[in-house]
Amino acid sequence: MRWSALKKRLVLLFDPGLDVDIHLTGLEKAKSQGAFTHLGLLRIRVDGAVVWDFPHQFKASLADHPGVTLATLMGVLHAYLDLPKNELLTSTVPNDPFDLRLALACMDRRIGKKKLLALAGRPDTPEFVRRILTLRFS
């Protein structure tokens, strides 16, 4: 599925009270020995604030996950669309070490406020989840 079609399907799932923008840019840069390196970014803004930013936000842990590329993240987006509503917060998505699924679930209109606030109260919840939920419920 092309990025524009995927983005449209995702945006339909988000809380209409949020101004969500998902931006994906992919570039290929030639290396000196003829091989290509895939560069790019996937950025999510909520009400103008950047809440999830690959690769910038995850530079410290990129070395631990060398196989994560934009293609991998596109696979996570596709997998999220295929998840049943009752599994959005509980199931895992393959090749999602940076919890993109969780960021999307926090903006998803199908998940109730009570479940999301319970998630925000857990000590192991990533900071970006708290930022998204603050923007969503403030």
Side-chain angles (χ1 to χ4, degrees), residues 3 6 10 42 72-81 100 104:
W3 168 242
L6 179 61
L10 286 169
L42 177 61
T72 308
L73 296 177
M74 289 284 286
V76 171
L77 295 174
H78 283 283
Y80 181 81
L81 289 173
L100 176 57
L104 297 170

Side-chain angles (χ1 to χ4, degrees), residues 2-15:
R2 294 175 50 111
W3 168 242
S4 58
L6 179 61
K7 182 177 177 179
K8 284 179 186 176
R9 286 189 60 199
L10 286 169
V11 169
L12 290 174
L13 298 177
F14 298 147
D15 183 339

